[in-house]
Amino acid sequence: MNALGIALTAMAIMTLTLTSADSAVKPFVETREQRNAKMAWWREAKFGMFIHWGVYSVPAGKWEGKDVPSVGEWIMLHGKIPCADYQKLPEQFNPTKFDAAEWVKLAKQAGMKYIVITSKHHDGFAMFHSKTDPFNIYDATPFKRDPLKELAAACAKEGIKLGFYYSQAQDWNHPGGAAMAGGHWDKAQDGDMDKYLQDVAVPQVKELLTNYGPIAVMWWDTPADMNQQRADMLLPLLKLQPGIIMNNRLGFYDGDFGTPEQEIPKADSDNDWETCMTMNDTWGYKSTDNNWKSTQNLERNLIDIVSKGGNYLLNVGPDSLGQIPSPSVDRLKAIGNWLKTNGEAIYGTTRAPFTTMMFDGRATMKDNKLYLFVFNWPSDEIRLPDLRTSLQSARYLGINEQVDYTELPGTEMRASLVIAPPSHPDPIATVIELTYADKPVR
Ligand code: FHN
């Protein structure tokens, strides 16, 4: 499939994902207080690590010596690889460099508060010791370990919340898995979807929500051919994890949060949403994909997303030895370093009382404080709109200088603020903390 075909495929997936999963049918009966209590940690966390890791990291984007133009985890479909050939891959999958503690330590160093990892992607290969089906990393590879078990233990030890991604509808190696974006290409894939759900998806999700300790997020994906009857086969399993939250991609039902992908929506509601994004162009590892976004781009994406009330789920795609690519590691460490001195302007904040920025930057709010993130300073000053409260103090986070500001006269309770540029602005973003007499409102 050429690049256009891939783009159209992705569009089709996204349309299906965002429309079919964005129904208004609420999956749970809960009070506002119950919902707020359930979402509290997630709204505070703001920043998570997405991990796309699977047997597709073995071919890493190439098949029979040729590049397969697609994201790494879609190589089987775009390469139209026969099931029997793909099912030989686990013999070569022995990620001896995998170290769960190292991955969790990196997430913490990056300032990430939760991890969502692919437990089973569309290729149907389970990255855990599934008793449901031997097409899994424990039974089918020389590795003979359960990386999700090891990751769950490392997350519990370090206080990082753990979520599982599960492809509940698309499954290219089990008969009856939904056919999307080019459908089935191998007779072995033909079968009944309800039987696939009953025999594979339901028991595997049950294993995931039973055998790995506290699971904080269920991250469903591509709800192809899902309907209420099929969603109702899976939804009750969440009762195994009291307090768990789920995204909006189960199918038929809405979810606890929206999932804009590779994009940052405008800030137009107080709904919960999470942008998921790659650091290069692929979710699953591809040896040829070195189109890495800059640290500044990634950091400013985090600031932009949080200023609009969202979470950022930033992806890493480990290789077939279990190593996170070094360009990802370098970027995550740099982002974490910036968050060390500026994180209080990110974690636990909400949208500021104005969305139109009068300067090249963003703003967040927490209680009686406003945080301004100035990306590029104008030559003279930045201005803030009038706010119904009085400014008590101003300071830079991460810059050892006084904030030079003037309050211009306005109505008795409303004044606009002019702030002169510092001598050494932060190249990612200069953060100014403004403390007011009470919560700043327009
Ligand atoms: O098809 C998948 C894709 O491989 C990747 O997992 C993304 C991540 O959100 N979800 C689907 C495309 O929307």
Side-chain angles (χ1 to χ4, degrees):
M1 188 182 286
N2 61 23
L4 176 62
I6 293 170
L8 292 174
T9 300
M11 291 288 287
I13 291 165
M14 284 312 304
T15 309
L16 180 75
T17 300
L18 292 179
T19 47
S20 57
D22 277 3
S23 63
V25 182
K26 293 292 171 207
F28 317 107
V29 176
E30 58 190 359
T31 64
R32 176 182 294 274
E33 292 70 27
Q34 287 169 328
R35 172 164 171 71
N36 289 338
K38 178 173 80 169
M39 296 302 293
W41 73 265
W42 187 87
R43 291 170 179 161
E44 168 79 23
K46 301 298 179 188
F47 192 25
M49 178 185 274
F50 212 174
I51 303 177
H52 275 70
W53 193 34
V55 74
Y56 41 75
S57 61
V58 173
K62 289 180 184 287
W63 194 256
E64 292 169 345
K66 295 197 195 83
D67 266 342
V68 176
S70 100
V71 284
E73 71 283 1
W74 275 69
I75 188 169
M76 186 182 173
L77 182 139
H78 289 300
K80 291 290 180 280
I81 300 170
C83 292
D85 294 350
Y86 195 88
Q87 289 165 17
K88 291 182 187 130
L89 280 174
E91 295 159 17
Q92 305 168 51
F93 192 23
N94 190 13
T96 51
K97 303 265 190 194
F98 169 68
D99 180 339
E102 193 178 279
W103 286 13
V104 173
K105 182 179 165 208
L106 175 62
K108 285 190 84 170
Q109 278 178 308
M112 293 164 151
K113 304 299 182 184
Y114 61 106
I115 290 175
V116 177
I117 187 166
T118 50
S119 62
K120 188 208 77 170
H121 208 269
H122 311 327
D123 61 358
F125 184 75
M127 289 297 285
F128 61 100
H129 188 187
S130 173
K131 304 292 192 304
T132 303
D133 183 286
F135 190 53
N136 71 68
I137 190 165
Y138 188 94
D139 294 315
T141 76
F143 191 51
K144 296 284 174 266
R145 284 160 54 183
D146 183 336
L148 298 197
K149 186 79 80 175
E150 296 176 29
L151 188 65
C155 284
K157 186 174 175 207
E158 296 295 336
I160 293 284
K161 297 271 188 187
L162 178 62
F164 288 142
Y165 165 112
Y166 189 85
S167 175
Q168 73 280 11
Q170 279 199 89
D171 189 315
W172 304 325
N173 275 295
H174 290 98
M180 269 181 84
H184 287 162
W185 60 91
D186 186 325
K187 287 299 289 166
Q189 295 167 325
D190 294 342
D192 176 81
M193 184 168 175
D194 295 322
K195 188 170 182 335
Y196 156 73
L197 287 166
Q198 180 186 300
D199 295 350
V200 180
V202 167
Q204 283 194 329
V205 170
K206 192 170 181 179
E207 288 179 292
L208 289 165
L209 298 182
T210 305
N211 303 332
Y212 295 86
I215 301 304
V217 184
M218 197 66 210
W219 218 97
W220 309 105
D221 203 6
T222 63
D225 301 341
M226 290 296 287
N227 54 35
Q228 180 170 8
Q229 178 256 328
R230 288 170 173 163
D232 286 344
M233 295 169 76
L234 294 162
L235 190 62
L237 298 174
L238 296 190
K239 292 192 180 86
L240 294 164
Q241 289 283 342
I244 193 170
I245 63 177
M246 74 173 202
N247 71 358
N248 65 343
R249 298 191 181 187
L250 170 61
F252 182 77
Y253 290 107
D254 198 352
D256 291 306
F257 58 91
T259 53
E261 179 170 316
Q262 304 282 37
E263 58 159 6
I264 299 171
K266 60 184 187 300
D268 56 3
S269 79
D270 286 326
N271 292 340
D272 292 298
W273 55 273
E274 171 193 78
T275 279
C276 57
M277 195 179 280
T278 54
M279 279 200 224
N280 47 7
D281 293 326
T282 180
W283 302 93
Y285 180 69
K286 273 190 87 171
S287 58
T288 55
D289 184 339
N290 292 300
N291 187 25
W292 300 99
K293 298 175 180 73
S294 70
T295 300
Q296 185 191 71
N297 177 332
L298 296 169
E299 184 60 75
R300 288 185 176 181
N301 284 342
L302 172 63
I303 293 165
D304 187 18
I305 288 165
V306 172
S307 76
K308 292 170 177 172
N311 279 22
Y312 194 23
L313 190 64
L314 187 54
N315 184 73
V316 296
D319 64 20
S320 61
L321 288 177
Q323 301 168 120
I324 295 173
S326 56
S328 296
V329 173
D330 296 344
R331 283 156 178 77
L332 289 174
K333 287 181 176 174
I335 291 169
N337 199 38
W338 187 86
L339 285 169
K340 273 193 197 117
T341 48
N342 297 287
E344 64 187 278
I346 294 285
Y347 303 119
T349 60
T350 58
R351 295 190 294 156
F354 47 84
T355 48
T356 310
M357 306 308 294
M358 299 164 83
F359 57 91
D360 178 11
R362 299 295 183 268
T364 60
M365 181 167 71
K366 195 181 327 184
D367 304 325
N368 64 328
K369 293 180 188 294
L370 268 188
Y371 295 97
L372 310 182
F373 301 80
V374 184
F375 294 157
N376 298 298
W377 282 81
S379 55
D380 52 357
E381 62 192 27
I382 59 168
R383 286 175 176 257
L384 271 192
D386 298 346
L387 295 171
R388 283 175 202 284
T389 179
S390 58
L391 182 62
Q392 309 281 305
S393 64
R395 71 183 178 104
Y396 288 119
L397 302 186
I399 294 184
N400 188 17
E401 288 185 45
Q402 289 299 316
V403 175
D404 173 9
Y405 69 88
T406 314
E407 285 191 273
L408 297 186
T411 60
E412 189 186 314
M413 281 293 287
R414 298 164 70 85
S416 63
L417 196 60
V418 176
I419 301 176
S423 52
H424 298 88
D426 182 316
I428 298 260
T430 303
V431 181
I432 305 163
E433 176 197 78
L434 302 173
T435 302
Y436 290 89
D438 45 38
K439 183 174 178 180
V441 292
R442 285 298 303 270

